[in-house]
Amino acid sequence: MTLARPRVFAALMLVLIFTFTAPLAGADAPISVEVERAADKAYVVDAAFDVDAPSQIVWEVLTDYEGISRFVSSIRQSAVKQREPGRVLLEQHGVGRAWIFSMPMHVVLDVREHDQRLLAFRDTCGKSFTSYEGAWELASVGARTRVTYHLKAAPTGGQPAALTRAAMRGNVKRLLEEVRAEILARAAR
């Protein structure tokens, strides 16, 4: 009977430790990023993370089109060119990084907003990519929000496939880390 008390105490301590550290998991939860090369030579990116914030705050961050350069390091300039209900035409200038190399990027995104749950986008200018389209999707999971990012992109130019794939993975992971950090900062206010 004396062995039961230390086990109960240890179990209670684990529950308490988990309970009080669980809110911190929003910043440390892993971000999954998968990059594959499609048959048409485009790169397909599937990425996701969970965050301890309501979907309204996540949506607010994702639709902060003109403020994105404040919290996403790869975006140098982002300007709304046209806005109508459920649709935004957005011009962005940025830089992609691959180890010591950097590549300027320019897109004009036709963004479609659906029910504060889905942002679908497609590049219409074709300067940096022969094709570039994707989506951000939000799903509530209790008090948390699951953010999923999909992208299919074919960069212009002849970068080596291994270099491009690794660079895309790193750039997307950094993008999602920075977006999640901004979501958590706004949720804390």
Side-chain angles (χ1 to χ4, degrees):
M1 200 156 218
T2 58
L3 288 176
R5 284 189 179 150
R7 286 185 186 156
V8 170
F9 179 76
L12 283 172
M13 288 306 293
L14 286 174
V15 169
L16 287 173
I17 288 169
F18 179 76
T19 302
F20 288 111
T21 59
L24 302 175
D28 296 335
I31 294 175
S32 68
V33 179
E34 294 180 22
V35 180
E36 298 294 330
R37 189 128 191 234
D40 63 0
K41 307 230 179 190
Y43 294 87
V44 178
V45 178
D46 287 304
F49 64 88
D50 292 337
V51 64
D52 290 325
S55 62
Q56 298 91 326
I57 291 175
V58 177
W59 185 261
E60 176 187 303
V61 169
L62 293 177
T63 58
D64 187 0
Y65 303 119
E66 293 183 321
I68 194 170
S69 63
R70 285 191 330 269
F71 57 90
V72 173
S73 62
S74 63
I75 302 295
R76 301 293 186 247
Q77 181 182 15
S78 183
V80 172
K81 296 298 182 185
Q82 183 181 353
R83 185 185 297 267
E84 56 190 62
R87 183 172 180 247
V88 174
L89 193 62
L90 180 66
E91 184 172 16
Q92 292 183 329
H93 294 271
V95 62
R97 294 184 188 91
W99 296 282
I100 61 170
F101 305 104
S102 62
M103 296 164 273
M105 295 185 304
H106 177 218
V107 292
V108 177
L109 300 177
D110 182 1
V111 181
R112 304 297 172 121
E113 303 173 343
H114 302 279
D115 299 323
Q116 294 194 0
R117 294 280 175 208
L118 174 70
L119 284 174
F121 57 87
R122 181 180 56 83
D123 178 37
T124 61
C125 78
K127 288 185 179 177
S128 298
F129 300 90
T130 56
S131 66
Y132 186 91
E133 61 183 292
W136 292 89
E137 296 179 63
L138 309 181
S140 295
V141 183
R144 304 184 85 190
T145 302
R146 171 155 276 256
V147 180
T148 307
Y149 178 75
H150 304 284
L151 175 66
K152 185 174 182 184
T156 57
Q159 300 88 352
L163 178 68
T164 302
R165 183 176 174 185
M168 288 188 81
R169 185 181 192 292
N171 287 322
V172 168
K173 187 167 188 202
R174 187 176 312 108
L175 164 69
L176 271 57
E177 287 169 345
E178 292 170 345
V179 167
R180 181 171 63 185
E182 180 67 12
I183 292 165
L184 290 169
R186 292 188 192 193
R189 290 184 205 145

